[in-house]
Amino acid sequence: MRMFVAACSMSVVFALSGCATKNEMVDKETEVALSEVPETALSAAKGAVEGFVPTEAELEEEDGKLWYELEGTADGKVYEIEVTKDGKILE
């Protein structure tokens, strides 16, 4: 009986170890080079904040939707701008 309980317990542990958390299934962020960000997205971000100079970029995905999060500065302040590849500002 102990062997049966141990075997069942191990099966549950192995089965759950392969399950993704909710955040892993929904959100995905990948750092990308600024040179990989479409010009339309960069131009839109620069137009959203006067003097914006992007320094970092991430490609993000949630629920099958993709966008870029651009981090940069303008007037000594740090900004994060979310923009689609087509140049639509999200945030």
Side-chain angles (χ1 to χ4, degrees):
M1 182 67 168
R2 286 186 190 170
M3 284 298 265
F4 176 74
V5 171
C8 288
S9 297
M10 292 302 291
S11 296
V12 169
V13 168
F14 287 127
L16 292 178
S17 66
C19 294
T21 65
K22 181 181 178 186
N23 286 340
E24 290 173 327
M25 293 185 333
V26 174
D27 299 329
K28 184 178 178 183
E29 299 175 359
T30 305
E31 200 167 315
V32 296
L34 288 170
S35 61
E36 294 179 38
V37 178
E39 187 57 40
T40 52
L42 286 172
S43 294
K46 290 176 184 177
V49 176
E50 187 175 335
F52 180 72
V53 178
T55 56
E56 295 179 24
E58 288 183 350
L59 180 60
E60 299 191 0
E61 178 182 4
E62 184 175 325
D63 297 331
K65 297 177 184 170
L66 294 172
W67 68 89
Y68 292 90
E69 180 181 278
L70 302 174
E71 184 176 315
T73 58
D75 275 339
K77 297 178 185 174
V78 176
Y79 291 89
E80 288 185 354
I81 300 173
E82 293 183 353
V83 60
T84 65
K85 68 178 182 171
D86 300 325
K88 180 181 177 189
I89 301 293
L90 303 174
E91 184 177 315

